[in-house]
Amino acid sequence: MRAIWNGQTLAKSSNTVIVEGNHYFPLEDVEQQFLRPSDTHTVCPWKGTASYYTVEVEGLTNPDAAWYYPEPKEAAENIRGRVAFWKGVVVSEN
């Protein structure tokens, strides 16, 4: 799977985990230089508290376009250390 925004590959992996239709990429397969920490947090009743990244590519920003669960609840332990994308980031097969 590959995540692309603004013509740039943000992540590429053959080891994503799908939860609720979203592909969670292992952090080591994410191009972290395009991620900027965000102050945004949301709460999922079964996954826990999500933290967000703003995606920045060639001077363009996509606020809160990536998220992760730093301390997922037990039911979502399989997404620990993984990042998912949305807000116009295209996730598709390689």
Side-chain angles (χ1 to χ4, degrees), residues 1-2 14 16 18 20 22 26 28 32 41 44 46 54-55 60 63 74-75 79 85 88:
M1 297 301 296
R2 187 184 305 257
S14 60
T16 62
I18 301 172
E20 296 179 329
N22 297 300
E28 60 268 16
Q32 296 177 50
H41 301 281
C44 171
W46 72 273
T54 291
V55 174
L60 296 178
E74 186 176 335
I79 59 173
F85 299 93

Side-chain angles (χ1 to χ4, degrees), residues 10-80:
L10 306 176
K12 181 179 178 183
S13 181
S14 60
N15 181 27
T16 62
V17 172
I18 301 172
V19 176
E20 296 179 329
N22 297 300
H23 285 267
Y24 284 78
F25 291 79
L27 191 56
E28 60 268 16
D29 293 340
V30 176
E31 299 294 334
Q32 296 177 50
Q33 71 267 27
F34 299 117
L35 304 181
R36 306 287 177 263
S38 168
D39 291 331
T40 302
H41 301 281
T42 58
V43 177
C44 171
W46 72 273
K47 290 187 297 254
T49 300
S51 295
Y52 289 77
Y53 292 114
T54 291
V55 174
E56 185 176 316
V57 175
E58 295 182 12
L60 296 178
T61 59
N62 191 345
D64 300 335
W67 76 94
Y68 65 102
Y69 289 85
E71 296 294 330
K73 291 185 176 183
E74 186 176 335
E77 188 61 35
N78 63 331
I79 59 173
R80 179 184 296 273

